[in-house]
Amino acid sequence: MNVIIMGCGRVGATLAKLLDDEGHHVTILDIDPYSFRRLPATFRGTALVGNGTDQDVLVRAGIAEADVFVAATQGDNRNVMAAQIAKHIFGVRRVVSRIYDPIREQMYRELGLETFSPTVVGAHYMYALVVGKPTPALPPIGR
């Protein structure tokens, strides 16, 4: 699977590592080249400096051959904009976007984007811990 990830923060870098370890072809974009320090030395994918809302950058990243586009920056607006460009302009079949704001996350999900809100997921996980309910198993980090 060809995957483009926009954002090489902790989530983007971890996702890139997981996919790369499974043999997927991963291209990860970030506007800050220093962010690529989060990728392991064993990363076999492509790290590309650029803004994922820029169509020329997306073309250089290989979006025409992408099976999946993931928007995982810290900015909801940038994630939504890039996700819409990937889906509607380049026709990427699967587009996933992180949106912190739960209201906007639901709205964009209803408009057809595949979204998730770490705010909602984190709150439900913390709630389970507080009231003593079983929590879902977390995947191992840094394997």
Side-chain angles (χ1 to χ4, degrees), residues 117-139:
S117 170
T119 305
V120 173
V121 172
H124 284 278
Y125 195 88
M126 291 177 79
Y127 169 78
L129 290 172
V130 168
V131 299
K133 289 187 174 182
T135 56
L138 293 174

Side-chain angles (χ1 to χ4, degrees), residues 47-60:
L48 181 65
V49 177
N51 186 334
T53 61
D54 182 328
Q55 293 182 39
D56 292 335
V57 170
L58 292 172
V59 169
R60 277 192 285 133

Side-chain angles (χ1 to χ4, degrees), residues 5-127:
I5 300 169
M6 182 182 81
C8 193
R10 291 178 185 93
V11 171
T14 301
L15 177 61
K17 179 193 179 311
L18 292 170
L19 292 166
D20 184 57
D21 287 349
E22 290 182 355
H24 300 286
H25 181 265
V26 178
T27 299
I28 188 159
L29 303 171
D30 203 289
I31 56 175
D32 181 3
Y34 188 64
S35 67
F36 298 131
R37 74 188 184 287
R38 294 184 178 100
L39 296 170
T42 57
F43 181 67
R44 295 164 297 168
T46 302
L48 181 65
V49 177
N51 186 334
T53 61
D54 182 328
Q55 293 182 39
D56 292 335
V57 170
L58 292 172
V59 169
R60 277 192 285 133
I63 197 152
E65 294 82 32
D67 300 302
V68 180
F69 179 85
V70 178
T73 74
Q74 294 291 319
D76 286 357
N77 291 337
R78 195 163 16 140
N79 288 343
V80 168
M81 180 181 289
Q84 290 180 329
I85 290 169
K87 182 174 181 145
H88 298 296
I89 293 178
F90 291 103
V92 177
R93 283 185 290 127
R94 186 129 198 233
V95 176
V96 178
S97 181
R98 172 171 67 182
I99 302 175
Y100 286 100
D101 181 341
I103 295 170
R104 293 172 60 198
E105 184 269 335
Q106 182 177 355
M107 179 183 72
Y108 283 109
R109 185 169 7 104
E110 289 171 1
L111 291 173
L113 290 180
E114 231 175 301
T115 61
F116 78 97
S117 170
T119 305
V120 173
V121 172
H124 284 278
Y125 195 88
M126 291 177 79
Y127 169 78

